[in-house]
Amino acid sequence: MMKAKLYALSASALFFASACIPSSSKKASAEMETVGSDHFSLEIPVGLRENDRLNEDAVLCYASLLKGIYIMVLEDTKEEFEAALINEELTDYYTNDLDGYDQLITDAFGIDSDVETGQRTTEKKTVNGLPCIANSFSLEANGTPFAYDLVCVEGRDHYYQLIFFTQEKD
């Protein structure tokens, strides 16, 4: 679990930041690679392979089945998020900002599946000038425990969900 947490923290800290790896950390940069889409780039551990089957809505999905590390990025335009709040009559429950987006996304983990979530830690951060909210929590699905890091990031025109998870080991 700790190894995956380090990968997740490295990946979230390096979101939009291929240039932010410390120059004194040549080994770290050799173990990371840059992936992305039209709107962002992300540093991930070398050895992860693209895996579109994790989530059909994700902009990118990478995994190492041997290491049990999974990374996904989903994105929504700010207009899509605002329209969803209005069309689904959720404006009384969620604000049309990063805090509301984060709350809606984290709430969805308990609504749309038969999971039991553990304690969640939340931290507001700024990464490369972009506001984000980092959440760490555990959940159990079908008797299997998983550790999650979920980072919601606010870009100029988009919100992003960076989802990192691994199966917890005893």
Side-chain angles (χ1 to χ4, degrees):
M1 179 174 137
M2 189 59 157
K3 191 175 198 180
K5 286 280 188 184
L6 290 175
Y7 283 141
L9 292 174
S10 295
S12 65
L14 293 169
F15 184 62
F16 290 95
S18 60
C20 288
I21 297 172
S23 59
S24 62
S25 181
K26 304 232 186 244
K27 183 178 179 185
S29 64
E31 295 176 1
M32 303 296 279
E33 66 179 313
T34 303
V35 297
S37 77
D38 294 338
H39 301 118
F40 66 89
S41 64
L42 176 69
E43 294 272 332
I44 65 169
V46 169
L48 299 182
R49 299 290 174 241
E50 197 165 359
N51 185 332
D52 295 334
R53 294 179 292 167
L54 284 175
N55 185 321
E56 64 186 37
D57 295 326
V59 177
L60 61 84
C61 294
Y62 282 82
S64 170
L65 300 178
L66 293 175
K67 293 179 182 177
I69 299 170
Y70 307 90
I71 299 174
M72 289 186 283
V73 178
L74 291 94
E75 66 182 1
D76 298 292
T77 67
K78 289 183 176 183
E79 289 176 355
E80 289 170 333
F81 178 60
E82 181 179 24
L85 291 177
I86 294 167
N87 295 338
E88 300 297 326
E89 300 178 0
L90 297 173
T91 55
D92 289 341
Y93 307 102
Y94 302 103
T95 55
N96 186 23
D97 58 11
L98 179 60
D99 289 320
Y101 185 77
D102 176 74
Q103 189 62 50
L104 178 67
I105 299 306
T106 55
D107 283 354
F109 273 88
I111 294 171
D112 292 335
S113 58
D114 61 343
V115 298
E116 295 179 22
T117 58
Q119 290 281 33
R120 179 177 69 157
T121 60
T122 301
E123 182 181 356
K124 290 188 177 189
K125 300 178 176 192
T126 300
V127 176
N128 297 327
L130 298 174
C132 60
I133 302 174
N135 302 278
S136 294
F137 55 93
S138 296
L139 61 83
E140 189 172 301
N142 300 322
T144 304
F146 290 91
Y148 276 79
D149 284 331
L150 166 64
V151 182
C152 292
V153 179
E154 181 176 6
R156 185 173 27 129
D157 300 318
H158 291 80
Y159 290 110
Y160 302 92
Q161 302 168 49
L162 288 75
I163 304 169
F164 312 94
F165 63 100
T166 187
Q167 184 176 344
E168 290 184 343
K169 307 287 185 211
D170 292 331

